[in-house]
Amino acid sequence: MNIKTFKAALFDLDGVVFDTEPQYTKFWGAQCREFRPDHPGLEHEIKGQTLVQILDRHFGGVLAEKQSLIIERLNEYEKDMDFVFVNGFEAFVRQLRDNGIKTAVVTSSNLDKMYAVYNKCEGFKALFDAILTSEDFERSKPDPDCYQKAAQRFDAKADECIVFEDSFNGLKSGRAANMKVVGLSTTNSPESIAPYSDTVIPDYSNFGYDYCLRLIQEP
């Protein structure tokens, strides 16, 4: 029997580490109502996309001149956001690290956003061995590039990694990287993300290192 090794846990940021998605939905809802009233519900469709993707795909053309204003608003908004950990996350990550597992944030957020996190969330960096942002990737989710690069940081194979995601693009990225995928139902319903996940959890309160070991061994 081939026993697989669990080497790295790779976490998206919003909706996975922090319970921030409702705050972003509020922000983008306001921008969409102002600039894209022709597309109701757009704030829900853009979840998991990078800022560049959102602006290029949905605020281009005649709206391109508004992009700098939206970026300025977003930067100010993020300075005042509350970065609250998803329930059970800190204890879960510490358990992983106590068992020698490497941990990384793999986010589509940029460095400016991360500086806001660092300023407001003391001890955040100490939870991770690596933090990869949009500046580290050539291609954004759902492309597997970001998770492949994260695995390379730890000299880990795809089948030695577990991806934790909440958005459809992120889940698809983990799947495309041929890694085990844990879906967090913090942003979308459990039923909607189940087809893209190996298992679905609401938070980390009942999820631990032993469960990860079993998941890695599953075919």
Side-chain angles (χ1 to χ4, degrees):
M1 182 179 177
N2 182 24
I3 303 298
K4 298 177 183 176
T5 301
F6 176 32
K7 186 176 286 187
L10 312 177
F11 299 91
D12 179 43
L13 186 66
D14 295 296
V16 174
V17 174
F18 294 124
D19 189 15
T20 49
E21 285 300 338
Q23 296 176 77
Y24 277 112
T25 298
K26 181 179 179 180
F27 172 82
W28 284 111
Q31 309 313 306
C32 292
R33 285 189 293 274
E34 180 175 351
F35 300 117
R36 291 299 309 272
D38 59 305
H39 196 144
L42 178 59
E43 65 269 25
H44 300 290
E45 297 178 26
I46 62 179
K47 291 178 181 179
Q49 297 180 18
T50 66
L51 177 59
V52 172
Q53 289 174 327
I54 293 171
L55 295 177
D56 287 349
R57 296 174 182 176
H58 308 292
F59 296 88
V62 296
L63 290 176
E65 62 182 23
K66 302 295 184 181
Q67 292 184 2
S68 59
L69 172 61
I70 294 173
I71 293 173
E72 181 180 345
R73 288 177 176 177
L74 179 60
N75 288 338
E76 289 302 311
Y77 186 80
E78 289 178 334
K79 289 179 182 178
D80 295 323
M81 280 180 58
D82 294 322
F83 295 106
V84 179
F85 287 113
V86 172
N87 188 33
F89 177 77
E90 289 180 278
F92 173 58
V93 169
R94 291 194 174 98
Q95 184 184 51
L96 293 180
R97 292 170 64 84
D98 287 345
N99 283 279
I101 306 303
K102 297 294 185 180
T103 58
V105 166
V106 185
T107 177
S108 298
S109 298
N110 58 24
L111 284 172
D112 288 338
K113 158 68 176 293
M114 296 313 300
Y115 292 144
V117 172
Y118 302 152
N119 288 334
K120 296 199 70 172
C121 189
E122 185 178 354
F124 174 82
K125 285 185 177 181
L127 294 173
F128 304 98
D129 297 289
I131 297 175
L132 287 76
T133 63
S134 60
E135 288 84 358
D136 295 304
F137 317 132
E138 297 175 10
R139 298 174 297 280
S140 299
K141 303 171 185 178
D143 191 277
D145 180 52
C146 58
Y147 285 114
Q148 291 169 339
K149 283 185 167 58
Q152 290 170 4
R153 290 281 185 98
F154 302 136
D155 193 27
K157 300 175 183 176
D159 63 3
E160 296 174 327
C161 301
I162 298 179
V163 166
F164 295 80
E165 274 283 1
D166 66 313
S167 71
F168 291 109
N169 279 342
L171 294 164
K172 292 176 182 178
S173 177
R175 275 286 173 84
N178 294 315
M179 298 175 182
K180 293 293 184 180
V181 178
V182 175
L184 275 292
S185 58
T186 52
T187 304
N188 299 289
S189 69
E191 296 78 15
S192 66
I193 65 174
Y196 309 99
S197 310
D198 292 291
T199 190
V200 176
I201 58 176
D203 55 38
Y204 302 94
S205 56
N206 294 308
F207 193 84
Y209 171 71
D210 290 340
Y211 198 115
C212 292
L213 291 181
R214 292 194 297 270
L215 185 62
I216 281 286
Q217 299 306 321
E218 292 178 359

